[in-house]
Amino acid sequence: MNRIAIAQVDPCVGAMEDNTALLVKYIAEARDVAGADTVIFPELAVTGYPPEDLLLRPHFHVQVQRALQRVTDAARGIDVILGYPQPLGAKLYNACGLLRDGEIITAYHKRNLPNYGVFDEKRYFTEGTELNLLTTPHGKVALSVCEDLWTEHHAREAAQAGAELLININASPYHTDKAAVREELLRRRARDCGLAIIYVNLIGGQDELVFDGGSLVVDARGEFVLKAPQFEQGLYLVELERAAGRLKLTAKSPRARGADFNGSVYRALTLGVKDYVSKNGFKGAVIGLSGGIDSALTLAVAVDALGAENVAVLLMPSRYTADMSVEDAQDMAGRLGVACHIVSIEQPFTAFAAILAPIFENLPADTTEENIQARCRGLLLMAVSNKTGKLVLTTGNKSELAVGYATLYGDMAGGFAPLKDVPKTLVYALSRWRNRNGEVIPQRIIDRPPTAELRFDQKDADSLPDYEILDPILEQYIELDRTPDEIIAAGYDQDTVHQVAAQVDKNEYKRRQAAPGVRITERAFGRDRRYPITSRYRER
């Protein structure tokens, strides 16, 4: 173990043949091109992460064993360390194995199984109980898997057993500021335990989750030796040697530059869209472009993720659509070079109104007519999706979904929601960030007050608090689990806070039917936040 290659790879859950080919490719590149004698892959690299209830299917493990055998056969002339599920009798372990010269030499079983947030590992795996130390020419090396590093016990025990290096393989999903959290953890763990640490992370989109890579190497003093880039596949090299009786690590790949906040969020969104579309076999994406900020940012993300040639947009004006909305939408579509079709919904909207007139006789117009417009648009988008094989990307943001400012089977119709976990204020910040090197999103879209344009002179502010007020309240209520009284004590208006909390509570039925979307916060709707639909609980 002199030159180590860190392999940041993007496997697909359950695609055992493709994953095997990916691993074998990187094994050959690490050995034959990079000159490494060890290559390290992430957690559950053979199956992709998280495989969820596929782990309960017996034939899944038959395929895993076939794939693992092919990877083992490729492990000649180089040591391979990687993750895979390992059945032993009636138990299943989350394993980290060492493969060498066509054999599995040893395997470590993950000892700390996360069961919070997006993680549900205790449903599937049994906790390991033993350390696993490798003896190398440079001293003892301990194996570990992801959560083992987050509790001090494993690293401390490894150091007490004589280990000088801890190898930690991960499937650690992205959220904002996660890179900084990881770096601080590695610094602290290395200094406290006197261990150098090699931290290898997965990349790629898997349903709601995005894995951002950002693999790290830190020496026993807590100084970073290597920082691999986020959101990029690749091999990153580090060399080991003994100097003055100590283990010395030297990077042989350049240190990646850290991304700014908006840049990392934007890259997470594009990777999430790219992998969801490609891994599920869609031919591209179709978007309803309204001339508003949400659909504009969604289009920019889709083009950056998939290429303009794989994205189509529909402009679907109604009697309430302002001329500037059509102009700005056409302008943006032209700037990005995407196929653009204008299809008025006036005819189907009028037809629905006529059909329903006898039932609605003497009843005033209300949100019913607004929702019919949204559902006309959803029908048209789904028709184009069916005909072309392109996936409909919905355009709603987290703020709207939180308070139910969305139409079931209308603007919520679609297969994936890139902005599902993006608050409205962040939508604006990301749009300005995307325009930093040239105006892609017309400035007028960013400047104009947000509106759904489902009635004359409509503004979001007619029904909602200003987003600069709404978003901080939502963050405290949803992501930080603060009570209304605590939020009010922080300086927010009492009536506004109770109104927002009530809207969040009563709209779970809508969120449960929403498309999956990219997770960028620590409390996204879906896997992170599991509330009952039928509930009379209120925070008053």
Side-chain angles (χ1 to χ4, degrees), residues 93-153:
Y93 295 96
N94 187 338
C96 173
L98 169 63
L99 286 53
R100 177 187 297 156
D101 293 332
E103 296 183 24
I104 299 177
I105 302 300
T106 188
Y108 163 80
H109 298 149
K110 187 175 183 178
R111 300 167 79 184
N112 296 290
L113 301 178
N115 223 62
Y116 57 85
V118 301
F119 302 107
D120 201 14
E121 291 199 18
K122 290 184 179 180
R123 177 178 173 88
Y124 310 106
F125 296 113
T126 298
E127 291 182 346
T129 58
E130 303 294 331
L131 278 175
N132 192 317
L133 298 184
L134 310 177
T135 301
T136 77
H138 299 300
K140 291 183 178 179
V141 176
L143 300 177
S144 63
V145 181
C146 204
E147 193 76 9
D148 293 326
L149 189 64
W150 292 81
T151 56
E152 187 179 3
H153 173 74

Side-chain angles (χ1 to χ4, degrees), residues 510-530:
K510 284 189 179 182
R511 292 189 291 270
R512 194 69 67 90
Q513 297 179 71
V518 180
R519 172 188 184 263
I520 64 161
T521 71
E522 292 187 78
R523 186 66 66 84
F525 294 127
R527 302 169 67 97
D528 283 310
R529 189 178 187 275
R530 307 178 193 184

Side-chain angles (χ1 to χ4, degrees), residues 447-475:
D447 291 341
R448 69 184 295 203
T451 171
E453 289 193 315
L454 297 173
R455 63 175 185 269
F456 285 119
D457 198 30
Q458 184 181 30
K459 302 289 187 296
D460 288 8
D462 299 339
S463 306
L464 299 174
D466 288 343
Y467 288 109
E468 289 75 11
I469 296 172
L470 176 63
D471 283 354
I473 294 174
L474 292 174
E475 179 184 23

Side-chain angles (χ1 to χ4, degrees), residues 8 178 184 217 250 266 304 307 420:
Q8 268 186 193
K178 185 66 172 287
E184 177 55 31
V217 178
T250 306
Y266 193 88
D304 290 341
K420 183 178 181 179

Side-chain angles (χ1 to χ4, degrees), residues 103-242:
E103 296 183 24
I104 299 177
I105 302 300
T106 188
Y108 163 80
H109 298 149
K110 187 175 183 178
R111 300 167 79 184
N112 296 290
L113 301 178
N115 223 62
Y116 57 85
V118 301
F119 302 107
D120 201 14
E121 291 199 18
K122 290 184 179 180
R123 177 178 173 88
Y124 310 106
F125 296 113
T126 298
E127 291 182 346
T129 58
E130 303 294 331
L131 278 175
N132 192 317
L133 298 184
L134 310 177
T135 301
T136 77
H138 299 300
K140 291 183 178 179
V141 176
L143 300 177
S144 63
V145 181
C146 204
E147 193 76 9
D148 293 326
L149 189 64
W150 292 81
T151 56
E152 187 179 3
H153 173 74
H154 182 79
R156 179 72 65 189
E157 188 178 350
Q160 291 172 348
E164 294 181 77
L165 173 65
L166 180 70
I167 293 175
N168 184 249
I169 63 171
N170 294 264
S172 177
Y174 171 84
H175 65 70
T176 54
D177 297 326
K178 185 66 172 287
V181 173
R182 293 188 195 119
E183 289 183 12
E184 177 55 31
L185 171 71
L186 260 69
R187 284 193 198 97
R188 184 173 69 251
R189 196 68 73 234
R191 287 195 301 257
D192 291 349
C193 298
L195 283 172
I197 302 172
I198 297 177
Y199 176 100
V200 181
N201 195 25
L202 195 72
I203 79 153
Q206 172 58 33
D207 297 343
E208 301 100 321
L209 302 180
V210 172
F211 300 93
D212 59 315
S215 299
L216 301 163
V217 178
V218 63
D219 66 21
R221 298 169 300 172
E223 300 293 331
F224 283 102
V225 174
L226 175 69
K227 292 185 179 182
Q230 289 181 285
F231 310 108
E232 293 181 20
Q233 282 201 123
L235 281 178
Y236 308 96
L237 304 176
V238 63
E239 288 190 348
L240 304 184
E241 60 179 326
R242 294 203 74 82

